[in-house]
Amino acid sequence: KRVDQLELDRWESPLTFCPLLKDPSSYIPDTVDLNSDKEAREYWLNCFEESIENYVNYAVASQPTSDTAEERAALFKEKFISRVQLLKIKPFAYGNLTVRGLLDTINQCLKEFDFPDPYLTQKQTENEYALRCLQERLEELDSLDLKERQKELIMGVLAGNTFDWGAKETVALMKTGEFDFKQARNRIPARPWLIDSLDNWVQKICNEPYKKIAIFIDNSGIDVVLGILPLAREMLRQGSRLILCANSAPALNDVTHSELIVLLRQAAAICPIISKGLDEGKLKSMETAQGGPCLDLSRLERELANELTTVDLIILEGMGRAVHTNIDAEFVCDSFKLAIIKNRWLAKRLGGDMFSVVCKYESVDVTK
């Protein structure tokens, strides 16, 4: 029997569990086991197979001067499709089958055929656009009173999280070129949401700010610039210290640690609060040692893990970090999971509809 290859993720330094996990020994990063859930397995395998052409198009477009890009992209498509076909017949062929694993497989295949960052140009374009809109967004937020501002900041994070090139339904909207932050904001459904802890969050943050916060961020562009950065700015203004945790390697349009460093400096030129936070070391970017769109909290960069030991709030943003993984994860500190469900099938599976909101704030009673 022919064996193609054995693929292992490697990292330059030792990785470790997130110290904020309540029970690391029982932690499973995946919400759904596709081996045991036939309906979910069939849906997700078909979903990834149907969306592979988008990856191919971006891969080719990312290397316009290459004579071999189309050929390599075709080989990438062939390899991934053949793997999906095998998984339809033998779900256990590569071990435990999960959405996270399928997304990681796409990334591995892209890198194998020399497409390390197919969305690089798209990310740069969206970052530049979002930065031009940042000042106006901050002025809008500053015109609100404290309580309303806290609500609107979370609405902004949710609206920003809509801009995800890994979600089939929203890709169609973004390709029109007419889908902007305000339209995304207006698409957020009326409350109560699918999971709705917004009132509890607002009550807490208005009365008792946190000392140190870690935010595991998602997408480049509007998501991080108009969603996450205004939230970080507000927390800095309340006296909190912040760590923005970003991928170490590219995955879809997710922001990477190296890109985030540049973005923060650009934002600092627009916002004095962000500038001061960076200069005083109260706002910093750290890498997670992750290279996929999901988040495995059992495999974090050791330096980041050491920094997390003194965090009293962890925020997980986006479907990959807060829904496909970690929706049920329990922590020893307060946690806040925020995401827009940008997949109609998954939203219905969870009891909602397209653009349903996950706003899951959980407070830990330290007196117990």
Side-chain angles (χ1 to χ4, degrees), residues 30-68:
D30 304 294
T31 303
V32 179
D33 178 1
L34 300 184
N35 288 124
S36 60
D37 190 330
K38 185 173 184 290
E39 180 192 358
R41 180 173 71 246
E42 290 176 350
Y43 171 77
W44 285 112
L45 287 174
N46 286 330
C47 179
F48 282 113
E49 186 175 6
E50 291 167 5
S51 64
I52 201 65
E53 203 62 44
N54 278 328
Y55 293 93
V56 170
N57 293 339
Y58 270 93
V60 173
S62 70
Q63 299 180 4
T65 61
S66 171
D67 296 331
T68 63

Side-chain angles (χ1 to χ4, degrees), residues 138-153:
L138 296 179
E139 290 172 0
E140 287 175 3
L141 291 164
D142 287 346
S143 69
L144 303 173
D145 64 36
L146 178 63
K147 188 174 180 179
E148 285 305 309
R149 188 164 68 246
Q150 305 313 312
K151 289 182 180 179
E152 184 57 31
L153 282 162

Side-chain angles (χ1 to χ4, degrees), residues 107-166:
N107 254 13
Q108 288 172 343
C109 290
L110 282 167
K111 289 171 184 173
E112 180 184 342
F113 294 103
D114 200 22
F115 294 108
D117 195 358
Y119 291 82
L120 178 61
T121 302
Q122 186 70 38
K123 289 188 289 183
Q124 291 171 337
T125 301
E126 292 183 5
N127 284 340
E128 291 168 4
Y129 168 77
L131 284 164
R132 290 196 297 271
C133 302
L134 180 58
Q135 183 64 47
E136 181 183 351
R137 176 62 179 164
L138 296 179
E139 290 172 0
E140 287 175 3
L141 291 164
D142 287 346
S143 69
L144 303 173
D145 64 36
L146 178 63
K147 188 174 180 179
E148 285 305 309
R149 188 164 68 246
Q150 305 313 312
K151 289 182 180 179
E152 184 57 31
L153 282 162
I154 299 307
M155 297 292 276
V157 171
L158 294 169
N161 192 242
T162 305
F163 294 83
D164 183 350
W165 288 92

